[in-house]
Amino acid sequence: MSTNTSQSVAVHVSGDDHSDALSIVFLHGMGASSWMWKAQIESLSKDFHCIVVDLPGHGESADMRCHTFKEMGPLIAEVIRGKAHEGKAHMVGLSLGGFVTLHMLADFPELIHSAVVSGVVTKPMANRWLLPPMAKLITLMMYQDWMLNRMIGLLGLPAEDVEWGAPLMRKDIQRLAPATAERNYQELMSFDLDNLFHGRDIEARLLAVAGEKEAAPIVNGLTGFHSLQPASNRSVFKAPNAHHGWNIEFPQLFNDMLWAWVENKPVPRELIAVD
């Protein structure tokens, strides 16, 4: 795996570097970084050209100033133009990375073959006035040991991966600036899918998915993706018995889903369709 930067964003590239290999860009969740895609890169880099980004304020991009989801778009667009084969990529985003991926679909559709987003909400929190204090409270808690342990537990790390994964998660949280965390939390709690696309058609295929055991606003919000048109360009599923970080919890299912989606084949039958 090679590492370098584009516009100060850390970029890790691995896998099939032949020009005919499809490129996949991976965007991680809040408080994590490129390490969370370890199981995906180990599996998919055998067939694809994998590009993993540390988003602003996270991982090796921790020193970058705080960016909105929309402001991150041009940075990812530059990565795709400079690193992806033929300047176009499939995108995979979980949680924070999912919101950024959706903004990319809206603002840079010409750069995207298809997209997979997992663990995002589609409607803003009902009591908007609560957003700033809620974001501040969650930010204050996330640096506490008990919350760190809970966040690590929700990743569903297999026993053999806890020894290396837990310290990396702790390190990423501890170098995440509170201002970045608070701003990201405010944005995700106020995110509105319909407002983002303003009734425009989505040009690339979109797979929206969530773990069956995720928070209710995420699971219930999956139906919001049905408002996107055309219907032929989007699919919506739940992963059975899965939590937020199910790419780590159930890596084989996640990898099989990605491989099928990128190759434009049916996703695994284990996934539960959301009507």
Side-chain angles (χ1 to χ4, degrees), residues 15-237:
D16 192 338
D17 200 32
H18 293 94
S19 59
D20 59 345
L22 295 170
S23 294
I24 308 177
V25 172
F26 293 84
L27 302 182
H28 60 79
M30 170 82 110
S33 61
S34 54
W35 67 266
M36 68 166 283
W37 298 113
K38 178 177 181 287
Q40 283 66 58
I41 303 309
E42 287 179 348
S43 174
L44 296 171
S45 61
K46 300 169 186 174
D47 298 307
F48 303 107
H49 179 236
C50 298
I51 303 169
V52 190
V53 177
D54 283 356
L55 291 168
H58 294 74
E60 293 176 22
S61 303
D63 292 336
M64 291 188 69
R65 68 176 181 84
C66 183
H67 285 66
T68 65
F69 298 163
K70 187 176 182 68
E71 288 172 342
M72 293 185 201
L75 299 174
I76 307 306
E78 280 304 303
V79 171
I80 293 174
R81 293 189 187 106
K83 303 293 182 185
H85 292 164
E86 299 183 358
K88 200 166 182 176
H90 296 270
M91 293 197 65
V92 181
L94 187 143
S95 194
L96 169 62
F99 292 109
V100 178
T101 296
L102 290 170
H103 276 273
M104 290 290 296
L105 277 173
D107 295 340
F108 299 95
E110 72 281 2
L111 301 179
I112 301 173
H113 290 302
S114 77
V116 176
V117 298
S118 181
V120 301
V121 296
T122 55
K123 291 292 184 185
M125 192 172 128
N127 299 311
R128 300 294 289 272
W129 63 272
L130 279 173
L131 292 182
M134 282 285 289
K136 185 175 290 292
L137 177 62
I138 294 171
T139 300
L140 288 171
M141 290 193 302
M142 72 184 293
Y143 297 95
Q144 304 300 313
D145 279 343
W146 67 270
M147 181 58 91
L148 271 169
N149 290 335
R150 184 171 185 274
M151 293 172 73
I152 292 168
L154 287 175
L155 285 176
L157 284 165
E160 64 271 19
D161 292 337
V162 170
E163 186 173 346
W164 67 265
L168 289 174
M169 185 70 175
R170 286 181 178 277
K171 180 179 179 180
D172 277 341
I173 292 290
Q174 288 164 352
R175 63 182 171 180
L176 176 66
T180 297
E182 188 173 337
R183 184 169 183 173
N184 288 166
Y185 275 125
Q186 283 199 45
E187 274 206 87
L188 69 87
M189 288 189 290
S190 61
F191 181 77
D192 189 327
L193 182 70
D194 290 338
N195 186 57
L196 175 62
F197 286 95
H198 297 292
R200 292 174 294 162
D201 286 354
I202 53 172
E203 298 182 24
R205 292 184 301 117
L206 170 64
L207 171 60
V209 63
E212 186 181 32
K213 295 186 177 181
E214 292 205 55
I218 293 175
V219 178
N220 296 337
L222 284 172
T223 57
F225 285 98
H226 289 308
S227 67
L228 298 181
Q229 298 299 323
S232 59
N233 271 6
R234 44 96 175 132
S235 299
V236 189
F237 289 89

Side-chain angles (χ1 to χ4, degrees), residues 209-213 237-243 246 249-250 253 268-272:
V209 63
E212 186 181 32
K213 295 186 177 181
F237 289 89
K238 290 185 293 187
N241 301 310
H243 297 86
W246 70 281
E249 187 180 24
F250 297 111
L253 179 58
R269 284 181 286 182
E270 296 96 316
L271 296 178
I272 304 165

